[in-house]
Amino acid sequence: MKAGAEIRYELAWCFLPLRWKTTIVECKPPEYFVDQQASGPYRFWRHTRSFQVEGDGTRLFDSVEYELPFGFLGRLLHAAKGRRDLSRIFDYRAHAIRLIFSAESKMATRA
C-alpha cells in the first residue's frame, strides 16, 4: 500500500450493482493505512486499518467513519439491512484473516 493507490470494487447490494473506488490517503507502514471513498455508495467513507504487534503476532484494528446518502431513507435502509451487512463483511474478513494466518503459521512450523 502507498498513498495515492486506488482500489476499485464491483459489488452487489440487494441485487443492485455498485461501483466503488477508494484511494489510500495516508500510509505509515507498519503502523496504519487509511483509504477514503473517491466514488461510491456512501456520502462519505474513511477506513483506517492500524496494526499493533502483540507477542509474536499482530493485531489488526479497524476504524470506519461513514455518512449515508439519501437522508432519512438512507438511515432507514441502513437500520433495516445496511448495518447488518457491514458487520457481516467485517466478520467474514476477520474469519478469512484468521484462516489465512493460521494456515501460514502451520506451514512455517513444518518447514
Side-chain angles (χ1 to χ4, degrees):
M1 290 292 159
K2 65 179 182 174
E6 293 182 350
I7 305 165
R8 296 174 189 269
Y9 311 85
E10 290 188 20
L11 312 165
W13 187 73
C14 296
F15 304 105
L16 297 171
L18 296 173
R19 291 177 187 243
W20 194 4
K21 180 172 83 169
T22 61
T23 303
I24 304 299
V25 295
E26 294 179 46
C27 189
K28 186 177 178 189
E31 296 174 28
Y32 69 90
F33 70 95
V34 180
D35 70 80
Q36 191 163 311
Q37 176 179 283
S39 61
Y42 292 91
R43 178 175 284 153
F44 175 80
W45 174 275
R46 184 178 174 92
H47 181 187
T48 302
R49 295 159 194 87
S50 55
F51 307 91
Q52 181 177 336
V53 175
E54 291 190 1
D56 43 339
T58 301
R59 185 176 295 255
L60 167 62
F61 297 91
D62 288 293
S63 173
V64 179
E65 304 165 66
Y66 62 95
E67 292 179 26
L68 302 169
F70 310 121
F72 175 75
L73 179 59
R75 290 189 298 278
L76 188 64
L77 287 170
H78 187 61
K81 184 161 175 37
R83 182 178 294 128
R84 184 176 59 236
D85 288 350
L86 272 178
S87 291
R88 286 178 42 215
I89 288 167
F90 282 97
D91 289 347
Y92 172 80
R93 192 192 70 176
H95 176 73
I97 287 171
R98 277 193 295 276
L99 286 175
I100 290 167
F101 285 99
S102 167
E104 287 181 3
S105 175
K106 289 175 187 173
M107 290 173 57
T109 56
R110 290 183 191 152

